[in-house]
Amino acid sequence: MVSAVVRRRGRGESAGIDLEQILTVAKSMPRSSLTMQSVANALGVDRKALYNYVPDRDGLLTLVALDAFAAQFATLDIARTSSWQGACTAFAQAFVRGIVAAEDLSDHLWFSEALTSWFLEPTELLFDKLAQAGFDDDLSIRAVTLLTTIALGHARDVTQAPAGADRPRHRSLLRALAPRDPDRYPNLTRIAQNGENTYESEQLRFALEVFAHGVAAELDARSGTREDGRNP
């Protein structure tokens, strides 16, 4: 899971520490005081011993973020979902929960090699579920890319506007319209007054439903093309 931040074991082993101990201590510390030296002090070892496992403070923060993210997938069993739609929904929901669980450390997950390395198993299972449903590789790749984009976008929204917080898009629209004639922007004025909350789970449900319908239609279209003897 943490291959991108873990280094070759060396003197750290002789110091009697391992990655789990480092992670446990790092998780227990306030972010503001989390440093390589503070972790080494808590473990009673020389700071150099930590370099056999993590390269720097960012590596410690990535470990903590990955641990929070991974916990959301611990009980996810894509292979047991009844359909490819269910598998995609479960995957996306767990992905969003993982990003949100990382809280202020979520930036340490974006396009991280460690995240990609850890994410191989659930992603492999998702692609297997799609293949069983008749997806070719091209459609599978495009569908999973779109699914991940949806999940990342919603996770970003949730982290920007947690429950009860001010919603950035709504606030920005209200401010932009405030000095302007509402008769010139009747639709935007109405939408701003409506105040629909697109940062909640209902928006993710809506996006995943549209995703499933659209991908199903594309799958049917490609299947029909193949049955007609034409290239998809």
Side-chain angles (χ1 to χ4, degrees):
M1 179 179 77
V2 290
S3 60
V5 293
V6 178
R7 293 189 176 183
R8 178 179 57 84
R9 291 191 180 190
R11 287 183 295 173
E13 288 186 321
S14 63
I17 63 172
D18 57 32
L19 194 61
E20 286 301 319
Q21 290 175 294
I22 294 172
L23 174 59
T24 298
V25 170
K27 287 165 57 178
S28 70
M29 290 186 170
R31 304 278 193 268
S32 58
S33 59
L34 179 60
T35 64
M36 296 287 278
Q37 188 62 60
S38 65
V39 172
N41 291 343
L43 291 170
V45 300
D46 189 276
R47 184 179 63 184
K48 293 180 180 179
L50 271 62
Y51 292 129
N52 297 303
Y53 298 89
V54 289
D56 48 30
R57 182 176 184 271
D58 278 344
L60 290 173
L61 294 173
T62 298
L63 279 178
V64 176
L66 284 170
D67 181 74
F69 184 89
Q72 301 304 314
F73 281 84
T75 60
L76 178 64
D77 191 352
I78 291 176
R80 293 175 63 88
T81 54
S82 60
S83 65
W84 67 262
Q85 294 94 330
C88 288
T89 296
F91 183 93
Q93 290 174 337
F95 200 100
V96 171
R97 290 196 304 270
I99 297 295
V100 174
E103 297 178 327
D104 58 321
L105 296 181
S106 60
D107 284 346
H108 289 265
L109 297 174
W110 302 130
F111 308 108
S112 159
E113 181 181 337
L115 177 61
T116 301
S117 298
W118 178 86
F119 220 48
L120 292 177
E121 183 174 352
T123 306
E124 171 67 20
L125 292 173
L126 180 60
F127 272 103
D128 185 60
K129 182 67 72 172
L130 295 176
Q132 291 177 30
F135 285 63
D136 60 24
D137 286 348
D138 179 72
L139 183 55
S140 291
I141 292 168
R142 294 183 187 282
V144 173
T145 299
L146 176 57
L147 181 68
T148 305
T149 300
I150 290 171
L152 284 171
H154 188 71
R156 180 200 60 196
D157 280 356
V158 173
T159 55
Q160 286 182 344
D166 195 14
R167 291 163 285 155
R169 282 191 298 271
H170 186 237
R171 180 183 66 241
S172 296
L173 180 57
L174 287 174
R175 288 179 177 175
L177 291 173
R180 293 172 169 81
D181 182 359
D183 291 335
R184 185 175 179 182
Y185 303 98
N187 292 298
L188 290 175
T189 299
R190 186 183 68 257
I191 289 170
Q193 292 172 346
N194 179 283
E196 190 71 35
N197 190 345
T198 58
Y199 292 81
E200 295 183 335
S201 59
E202 174 60 20
Q203 181 63 26
L204 179 61
R205 184 207 62 76
F206 173 80
L208 293 176
E209 184 174 308
V210 172
F211 164 85
H213 284 305
V215 172
E218 181 65 18
L219 177 61
D220 288 344
R222 294 192 182 202
S223 298
T225 299
R226 288 194 292 267
E227 290 172 1
D228 290 341
R230 300 192 301 272
N231 291 327

